[in-house]
Amino acid sequence: MWPAWEVQEHDGATSWFHVRLAFTDGARVDALAVVSDQGLSVEDVRAQPALSLDDLTVLADWIEGPLFEACGLEPGPVGEEEAEVGGARRARPPWPRGIEGRWLVAQEYRAAQEEGVDPVLAVMCATGHSRRRSLRLISQARDAGYLTPRHARR
């Protein structure tokens, strides 16, 4: 985390910070965060691999403490429900590799189809991978025989 810029206002200051979270599995999250007396907001996020929707919703919780400490402010009270969600989380949920991972991708894909939602998006959310990587995983699940072929061959 490093300061980007600060704007002095009548009764306080608003500070922008560049934030980088690097994880042991190679995942990385870069964000532009704004800290003011009203709280913390995240302006821009770039993640490799893409964050799942759940992880994106708790990103502010991950970075709130260090940012408020850097600004000399106290973070707002955290409710019981938020404390449970904001606990030890990763940028990418652990996803098994190999046969087990392909089988789980197929399960997610079929469940989404049955619910009438986008199966690729469901795999993206479940794995935390980008659309491109999720399509590759779906293709591997098809090749392994866990999903029906996409197109009938003539």
Side-chain angles (χ1 to χ4, degrees), residues 95 102-139 141-142 147-148 150:
W95 195 259
R102 291 180 189 122
W103 184 80
L104 290 172
V105 163
Q107 296 299 317
E108 289 290 334
Y109 189 94
R110 281 196 298 271
Q113 279 183 324
E114 289 172 6
E115 293 172 12
V117 297
D118 182 3
V120 177
L121 184 58
V123 171
M124 288 171 61
C125 291
T127 63
H129 289 298
S130 67
R131 182 171 187 83
R132 178 182 226 160
R133 178 70 177 130
S134 295
L135 287 169
R136 189 176 303 141
L137 291 171
I138 292 166
S139 175
R142 285 187 199 289
L147 293 171
T148 58
R150 183 164 167 78

Side-chain angles (χ1 to χ4, degrees), residues 30-51:
D30 291 309
L32 180 63
V34 181
V35 179
S36 67
D37 293 335
Q38 288 78 34
L40 169 73
S41 64
V42 179
E43 296 287 322
D44 185 34
V45 177
R46 293 176 188 215
Q48 185 60 24
L51 291 175

Side-chain angles (χ1 to χ4, degrees), residues 4 35 43 49 52 58 69 78 80 82 152:
V35 179
E43 296 287 322
S52 69
V58 297
E69 187 177 304
V78 176
E80 237 178 79
E82 290 180 284

Side-chain angles (χ1 to χ4, degrees), residues 17 21 25 28-29 40 48 54 56 62 76 79-80 84 86 92-93 99 104 113 130 133 138-139 148:
F17 289 89
L21 300 172
D25 65 353
R28 189 175 85 196
V29 178
L40 169 73
Q48 185 60 24
D54 290 336
L56 189 57
W62 293 342
E80 237 178 79
E84 289 175 15
R92 176 174 40 174
I99 294 172
L104 290 172
Q113 279 183 324
S130 67
R133 178 70 177 130
I138 292 166
S139 175
T148 58

